[in-house]
């Protein structure tokens, strides 16, 4: 069973940057067989997809973060990174890493989450 551990959250001012990292452990198959995702959930709101990257490192983003966030991965280390710049107060949320085996949402594994707080 894959386990995910996020790191890198914190509190910043609007306009600043943060890097979130997620490292997988306990896996037996190739990292290339997983799509990796970042979600976020703000208080009182539903969890939303922020960014996704395929096993071939093809990224996609929510419209709200395009041009500000960059998702990347290291296939060899089974890690995924979310570089966030130009942070806004509305980016404040708990950020969750997820891994979809075979890029199938039904086979999704979640991390515990890391808090990002952006103050104005």
């Amino acid at each position: 069973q894959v386990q995910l551990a996020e790191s890198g959250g914190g509190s910043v001012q609007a306009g600043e940057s943060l890097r979130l990292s997620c490292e997988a452990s306990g896996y037996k198959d190739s990292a290339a067989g997983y799509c990796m995702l970042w979600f976020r959930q703000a208080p009182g709101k539903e969890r939303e997809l922020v960014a996704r990257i395929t096993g071939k490192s093809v990224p996609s983003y929510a419209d709200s973060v395009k041009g500000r966030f960059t998702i990347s991965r290291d296939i060899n280390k089974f890690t995924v990174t979310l570089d966030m710049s130009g942070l806004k107060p509305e980016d404040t949320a708990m950020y969750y890493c997820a891994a979809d085996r075979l890029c199938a949402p039904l086979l999704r594994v979640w991390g515990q989450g890391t808090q990002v707080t952006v103050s104005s």
Side-chain angles (χ1 to χ4, degrees), residues 10-30:
S11 296
V12 297
Q13 298 287 320
E16 292 184 343
S17 301
L18 271 178
R19 169 175 286 185
L20 304 183
S21 297
C22 174
E23 183 173 4
S25 60
Y27 55 93
K28 295 182 179 180
D29 43 2
S30 171

Side-chain angles (χ1 to χ4, degrees), residues 55-73:
K56 294 186 177 181
S57 296
V58 176
S60 57
Y61 301 94
D63 287 343
S64 59
V65 306
K66 278 181 183 176
R68 299 189 298 122
F69 290 12
T70 302
I71 189 171
S72 58
R73 68 184 298 174

Side-chain angles (χ1 to χ4, degrees), residues 103-116:
C103 291
L106 288 177
L107 300 177
R108 179 167 296 161
V109 176
W110 293 94
Q112 296 287 339
T114 186
Q115 178 67 37
V116 172

Side-chain angles (χ1 to χ4, degrees), residues 71-105:
I71 189 171
S72 58
R73 68 184 298 174
D74 185 329
I75 289 290
N76 295 323
K77 296 181 180 179
F78 209 153
T79 60
V80 62
T81 298
L82 186 68
D83 285 301
M84 307 183 293
S85 62
L87 283 162
K88 304 175 181 180
E90 51 263 45
D91 294 318
T92 295
M94 183 71 77
Y95 283 71
Y96 297 90
C97 175
D100 289 356
R101 188 170 178 267
L102 304 177
C103 291

Side-chain angles (χ1 to χ4, degrees), residues 14 19 28 37 39 42 44 50-51 53-54 59 67 88 98 100 102 119:
R19 169 175 286 185
K28 295 182 179 180
L37 310 94
F39 287 80
V50 174
I53 189 164
T54 69
K88 304 175 181 180
D100 289 356
L102 304 177
S119 56

